[in-house]
Amino acid sequence: MASTSLAALPSQLASPGRLRRGRAGLPSTARPRPLLHRAPKGGSRCRLAVTCNAQAVAPTSIAQGTPVRPTSILVVGATGTLGRQVVRRALDEGYDVRCLVRPRPAPADFLRDWGATVVNADLSKPETIPATLVGIHTVIDCATGRPEEPIRTVDWEGKVALIQCAKAMGIQKYVFYSIHNCDKHPEVPLMEIKHCTEKFIQDSGLDYIIIRLCGFMQGLIGQYAVPILEEKSVWGTDAPTRIAYMDTQDVARLTFIAMRNEKAAKKLLTFAGPRAWTTQEVITLCERLAGQDANVTTVPVAVLRFTRQLTRFFQWTNDVADRLAFSEVLSSDTVFSAPMNETYQLLGVDANDILSLEKYLQDYFTNILKKLKDIKAQSKQTDIFF
């Protein structure tokens, strides 16, 4: 398959919008208009508007360029918890990895040290996207917005621009990470955005794999393991939510197995860990492995609901309210898990090769406690007595 060159693209990439053609098959300038992206019959409706307000890119009007290697991939969101594991796995498997990273004061030198190429771009600035896609076969989208910025900016508007550009430039495969059960919670902005992005990809004409995730084991280290070791407060709720956490290294490994499997093309897969855990079960496990009790501060779900409603009264707290809405779902009587037997069978994966949370945390505490013991021993050896 051939890739396009930048010369074949219009000077200004379209912002999120419906692609439209003018006379003689050339791109035309569309008048700004909202478009409600709807799910197919029987599915929930996406309420997010897609607006076309710049020169549109017509995919079929782009000239063919030089062929691209199937091993050339672009990882978007490469510095994140999942993104960096995707990069490492790709490099280990012999892929040519390019990482899209936003310009930042502290450069992502560790990605270059691993052997990846780093390019600067920003999904909130669509004109920076095309150059990152030249010579790319597959896009792996791990990106999400920063906590301090509006959810829509990157997770909706930026993703729509990226997907449109990927289609226009002849990208062969698009891998998108979503959230399990996102279609069941339209009241939560982030989950609604994820669901609408899924539908946008499915309607784009791209070859895709959508992977819904339940939770990362890595997130539990900062949330529970470290505070317990440092004898600080651990925050939890009184809800029986259960989450099937998965190691991000397993997520990355299964992703590349799926990418090489033709049967996984245009599939929506869910990756879940071997077992679903409540917050209290995770805390109890950490206490046992750390050999000390946790100082648990429980936040009732009713308080989260009240705080969310209160923040809605003030425009400057809307983003806080959006994130509290997500916290409320995570703190409700919900199970974030899914049967994995069919997925393992499809991908040819042995369930016993998936790391359990017990083993993950056991390895962490064993290593960290050994290091603490070594540091303590060294400090005793350097003590000077008069």
Side-chain angles (χ1 to χ4, degrees):
M1 175 63 185
S3 172
T4 183
S5 65
L6 284 178
L9 284 169
S11 59
Q12 188 180 23
L13 179 68
S15 62
R18 177 178 287 172
L19 304 181
R20 204 171 72 153
R21 296 172 63 83
R23 292 181 183 178
L26 297 175
S28 66
T29 301
R31 209 167 82 188
R33 55 177 177 157
L35 166 66
L36 284 178
H37 194 66
R38 300 175 184 270
K41 247 182 195 178
S44 59
R45 179 173 176 265
C46 290
R47 298 172 298 173
L48 295 176
V50 183
T51 305
C52 182
N53 58 8
Q55 189 179 23
V57 180
T60 55
S61 68
I62 292 180
Q64 299 299 306
T66 56
V68 298
R69 295 185 301 274
T71 54
S72 61
I73 67 172
L74 175 72
V75 180
V76 186
T79 58
T81 302
L82 176 59
R84 62 183 62 198
Q85 296 300 337
V86 169
V87 171
R88 292 197 69 163
R89 186 76 195 187
L91 291 169
D92 288 345
E93 295 195 8
Y95 285 87
D96 300 316
V97 183
R98 185 183 302 171
C99 302
L100 188 158
V101 177
R102 281 197 266 192
R104 49 198 285 167
D109 289 336
F110 68 95
L111 297 172
R112 295 187 181 90
D113 293 341
W114 290 350
T117 302
V118 176
V119 292
N120 286 331
D122 192 334
L123 295 186
S124 65
K125 299 175 181 177
E127 68 277 6
T128 67
I129 297 174
T132 69
L133 295 171
V134 174
I136 292 297
H137 180 277
T138 299
V139 172
I140 304 180
D141 181 1
C142 315
T144 191
R146 294 169 179 162
E148 67 272 13
E149 59 190 3
I151 291 176
R152 286 180 61 109
T153 303
V154 170
D155 286 283
W156 176 241
E157 295 167 358
K159 295 300 182 74
V160 168
L162 175 62
I163 293 161
Q164 287 184 322
C165 196
K167 175 63 178 176
M169 296 184 68
I171 296 301
Q172 294 288 284
K173 191 180 294 290
Y174 194 100
V175 180
F176 175 68
Y177 292 106
S178 188
I179 301 174
H180 180 52
N181 282 339
C182 62
D183 53 324
K184 297 179 181 177
H185 296 282
E187 75 279 6
V188 180
L190 180 59
M191 298 183 82
E192 182 189 27
I193 284 172
K194 289 290 188 182
H195 181 224
C196 290
T197 307
E198 290 178 357
K199 307 313 297 180
F200 195 82
I201 292 169
Q202 290 168 339
D203 292 345
S204 69
L206 286 166
D207 185 8
Y208 64 85
I209 301 174
I210 295 172
I211 300 171
R212 290 183 176 181
L213 304 172
C214 299
F216 300 149
M217 292 180 184
Q218 279 73 7
L220 300 176
I221 300 302
Q223 194 170 2
Y224 301 115
V226 172
I228 289 174
L229 287 171
E230 295 181 347
E231 299 181 356
K232 294 181 179 179
S233 292
V234 173
W235 295 87
T237 69
D238 56 358
T241 309
R242 307 184 75 87
I243 300 175
Y245 300 99
M246 181 175 271
D247 183 5
T248 52
Q249 292 186 30
D250 281 333
V251 173
R253 181 170 64 89
L254 295 184
T255 297
F256 285 99
I257 292 174
M259 283 169 50
R260 293 188 293 267
N261 190 330
E262 293 182 0
K263 295 179 181 178
K266 297 194 174 181
K267 292 280 189 182
L268 193 157
L269 306 173
T270 298
F271 290 174
R275 174 190 162 186
W277 297 73
T278 65
T279 297
Q280 187 54 54
E281 287 172 339
V282 173
I283 293 173
T284 300
L285 178 60
C286 289
E287 287 177 322
R288 177 168 61 81
L289 294 172
Q292 61 191 68
D293 294 335
N295 179 20
V296 182
T297 301
T298 302
V299 181
V301 176
V303 173
L304 284 176
R305 292 195 182 103
F306 174 74
T307 306
R308 179 192 174 196
Q309 293 302 321
L310 182 65
T311 55
R312 283 293 185 197
F313 288 112
F314 308 100
Q315 183 179 359
W316 59 88
T317 58
N318 277 346
D319 291 325
V320 175
D322 291 345
R323 286 172 172 81
L324 283 172
F326 188 63
S327 299
E328 186 180 324
V329 171
L330 292 179
S331 304
S332 61
D333 188 5
T334 306
V335 177
F336 282 84
S337 183
M340 288 289 290
N341 291 338
E342 289 187 10
T343 301
Y344 290 148
Q345 187 175 359
L346 174 70
L347 301 181
V349 173
D350 187 342
N352 295 320
D353 292 336
I354 303 300
L355 187 67
S356 68
L357 182 60
E358 296 100 319
K359 184 66 168 62
Y360 175 81
L361 288 176
Q362 184 179 32
D363 290 346
Y364 171 79
F365 279 104
T366 298
N367 291 332
I368 198 71
L369 291 174
K370 183 180 182 300
K371 288 180 181 178
L372 291 173
K373 186 177 179 181
D374 291 344
I375 291 171
K376 187 176 180 181
Q378 289 174 9
S379 66
K380 284 185 177 180
Q381 291 173 4
T382 56
D383 284 342
I384 300 176
F385 298 95
F386 294 95

